[in-house]
């Protein structure tokens, strides 16, 4: 939707709301006194005309504003095109991609980014997709159903034996209880599997959609953190050697003070490698800036623009540093 269409639709919506409000007021006044109501109506119409004209000029200011990522613009585009939930999600994905492209060029302030990311979070909740089980989940459910059918068939067979007066009633009872326990165990396993899948999807959504994260969403075990700490010290990422707990606090964004970088492009290359292997969130630059995780050698806070610039120059880092980082990442993902 272009700006002219957006302004036209917005103006029509505003005029409709104003006119409906005036009609309600007219009905109220007329109900109390018809003469006053008839006298009030021409003045109301004239006032409406003036408001419409001033409103049109007010909306012309939109030409000089970037409204692409505002809630009203996005909702108006979805409603005007009568999008389905799937189409609305596809539209939001495309707008999110455009926002991230603009963000990488530093077009938005920190306050604007917070507002825009909150807008996308709100709209994704308004137009939620009904998730369908993937192929792997369907296969697991099918296997569980097969087990349940097998158990049901065995129970029917056992009940038939009991009804015919089989002498081994005690053995049959034990067998039935055993099968019931197996069925219950399968239900519990299925429930746990669904919970794990739901948690994984939430984590993937956080990393991919760039919501307002309060950490780097690190997916690292204690052993992997040991390797990452060793890498930071060997590659001289920071101006001093660090401890494992310091790096863990940084990843959780609960550090008492930022870590001082030795070379900006070293940390940019390392964290980009972690992001490429889904070990931290995709919006790690914004998280690092928001929670003041790093400072430069001169003591100034490192911004996402600094990290983006450093990453673009990462191809010039020393080969031994690059090899150390890549080897460490390989060791981490092999665990």
């Amino acid at each position: 939707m272009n700006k002219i269409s957006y302004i036209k639709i917005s103006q029509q919506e505003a005029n409709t709301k104003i006119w409906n409000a005036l009609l309600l007021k007219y009905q109220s006044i007329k109900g109390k006194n018809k003469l006053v109501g008839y006298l009030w109506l021409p003045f109301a119409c004239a006032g409406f005309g003036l408001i419409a004209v001033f409103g049109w000029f007010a909306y012309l200011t939109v030409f000089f504003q970037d409204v692409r990522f505002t809630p009203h613009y996005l909702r108006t585009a979805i409603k005007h095109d009568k999008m389905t939930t799937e189409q609305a999600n596809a539209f939001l994905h495309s707008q999110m991609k455009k926002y991230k492209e603009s963000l990488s060029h530093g077009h938005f302030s920190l306050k604007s980014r917070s507002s825009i990311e909150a807008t996308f979070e709100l709209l994704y909740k308004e137009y939620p997709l009904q998730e369908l089980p993937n192929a792997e989940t369907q296969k697991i459910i099918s296997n569980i159903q097969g087990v349940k059918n097998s158990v049901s068939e065995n129970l029917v067979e056992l009940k038939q034996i009991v009804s015919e007066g089989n002498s081994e009633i005690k053995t049959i009872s034990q067998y039935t209880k055993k099968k019931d326990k197996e069925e219950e165990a399968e239900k519990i396993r299925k429930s746990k599997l669904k919970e794990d899948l739901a948690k994984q999807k939430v984590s993937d959504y956080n990393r991919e959609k760039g919501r307002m994260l309060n950490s780097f969403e690190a997916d690292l075990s204690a052993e992997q953190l040991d390797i990452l700490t060793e890498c930071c010290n060997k590659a001289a990422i920071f101006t001093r050697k660090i401890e494992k707990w310091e790096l863990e606090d940084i990843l959780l964004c609960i550090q008492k003070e930022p870590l001082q970088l030795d070379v900006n492009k070293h940390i940019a290359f390392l964290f980009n490698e972690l992001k490429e292997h889904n070990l931290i969130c995709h919006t790690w630059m914004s998280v690092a800036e928001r929670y003041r995780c790093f400072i430069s050698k001169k003591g100034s806070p490192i911004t996402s623009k600094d990290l983006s610039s450093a990453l673009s120059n990462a191809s010039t880092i020393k080969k031994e540093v690059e090899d150390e980082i890549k080897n460490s990442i390989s060791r981490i993902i092999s665990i």
Side-chain angles (χ1 to χ4, degrees):
M1 175 183 292
N2 56 40
K3 283 191 176 180
I4 295 177
S5 299
Y6 171 65
I7 292 171
K8 183 178 179 181
I9 293 170
S10 299
Q11 181 69 8
Q12 289 174 349
E13 288 181 351
N15 289 344
T16 300
K17 290 180 180 179
I18 295 171
W19 181 248
N20 289 338
L22 291 174
L23 285 179
L24 287 174
K25 187 67 176 178
Y26 166 69
Q27 294 294 338
S28 176
I29 295 173
K30 183 181 176 183
K32 296 177 181 178
N33 190 310
K34 288 186 178 181
L35 179 60
V36 175
Y38 290 135
L39 291 174
W40 180 84
L41 185 60
F43 292 101
C45 292
F48 172 75
L50 289 173
I51 293 172
V53 171
F54 283 113
W56 176 254
F57 284 109
Y59 269 101
L60 288 179
T61 60
V62 174
F63 274 112
F64 308 100
Q65 300 174 9
D66 187 356
V67 297
R68 294 174 299 166
F69 309 118
T70 59
H72 187 263
Y73 174 82
L74 295 173
R75 286 196 184 98
T76 300
I78 292 172
K79 291 179 181 178
H80 179 260
D81 294 338
K82 298 179 180 179
M83 299 182 187
T84 63
T85 302
E86 291 77 10
Q87 291 171 336
N89 261 259
F91 172 69
L92 291 175
H93 289 341
S94 66
Q95 293 300 105
M96 173 67 81
K97 183 178 180 182
K98 291 178 181 178
Y99 163 63
K100 288 186 175 180
E101 289 174 353
S102 299
L103 184 61
S104 66
H105 293 92
H107 290 171
F108 299 101
S109 65
L110 182 59
K111 183 178 179 181
S112 297
R113 293 201 298 269
S114 298
S115 175
I116 292 171
E117 289 170 3
T119 294
F120 278 107
E121 182 178 2
L122 176 64
L123 291 176
Y124 274 118
K125 288 181 180 178
E126 289 184 12
Y127 300 94
L129 283 177
Q130 185 176 5
E131 296 184 1
L132 298 175
N134 57 31
E136 183 179 355
T137 306
Q138 289 178 337
K139 183 178 179 181
I140 293 172
I141 294 174
S142 176
N143 290 338
I144 293 173
Q145 188 62 44
V147 172
K148 289 179 66 178
N149 292 339
S150 177
V151 172
S152 298
E153 291 173 0
N154 288 331
L155 288 174
V156 171
E157 182 181 352
L158 288 173
K159 288 177 181 179
Q160 183 179 358
I161 293 173
V162 171
S163 65
E164 292 174 356
N166 193 296
S167 60
E168 299 180 359
I169 295 177
K170 184 177 180 180
T171 304
I172 293 171
S173 177
Q174 292 174 345
Y175 181 77
T176 304
K177 290 180 180 179
K178 179 183 177 182
K179 289 297 182 182
D180 286 341
K181 288 181 179 180
E182 290 177 353
E183 183 176 1
E184 185 64 26
E186 286 296 330
K187 288 181 179 179
I188 293 173
R189 191 169 73 88
K190 178 183 176 182
S191 177
K192 187 177 184 303
L193 175 63
K194 286 184 176 180
E195 290 177 359
D196 292 343
L197 286 174
K199 289 179 181 178
Q200 184 62 43
K201 286 178 180 178
V202 169
S203 180
D204 290 343
Y205 177 85
N206 287 345
R207 293 195 184 100
E208 185 61 32
K209 300 303 178 188
R211 297 173 67 185
M212 296 295 291
L213 305 179
N214 56 11
S215 75
F216 288 95
E217 288 285 305
D219 187 16
L220 297 166
S221 64
E223 186 178 357
Q224 290 172 322
L225 274 173
D226 287 334
I227 297 173
L228 188 59
T229 304
E230 180 184 356
C231 171
C232 290
N233 290 332
K234 284 187 176 180
I237 301 294
F238 306 105
T239 55
R240 61 175 177 82
K241 291 187 179 299
I242 62 168
E243 300 294 334
K244 174 183 174 181
W245 64 266
E246 292 180 285
L247 182 58
E248 188 173 11
D249 284 356
I250 285 290
L251 293 175
L252 293 173
C253 296
I254 58 173
Q255 72 283 349
K256 292 183 179 179
E257 58 183 19
L259 290 176
Q260 189 170 38
L261 300 179
D262 187 30
V263 181
N264 290 0
K265 55 189 174 184
H266 289 178
I267 193 69
F269 183 77
L270 173 61
F271 271 56
N272 189 63
E273 286 294 304
L274 291 171
K275 182 263 293 185
E276 290 298 322
H277 292 87
N278 290 322
L279 296 173
I280 59 173
C281 62
H282 285 230
T283 55
W284 63 270
M285 292 185 186
S286 297
V287 173
E289 178 180 355
R290 186 178 302 127
Y291 294 96
R292 298 180 178 271
C293 296
F294 310 114
I295 58 175
S296 67
K297 273 188 172 182
K298 295 181 179 180
S300 58
I302 295 295
T303 66
S304 57
K305 186 176 181 180
D306 296 331
L307 293 170
S308 177
S309 176
L311 183 60
S312 64
N313 295 321
S315 59
T316 61
I317 66 175
K318 295 180 180 179
K319 188 177 185 304
E320 56 267 29
V321 175
E322 179 180 355
D323 291 343
E324 178 61 33
I325 292 174
K326 287 188 174 182
N327 289 337
S328 296
I329 297 296
S330 297
R331 288 170 58 197
I332 288 172
I333 62 178
S334 67
I335 296 177

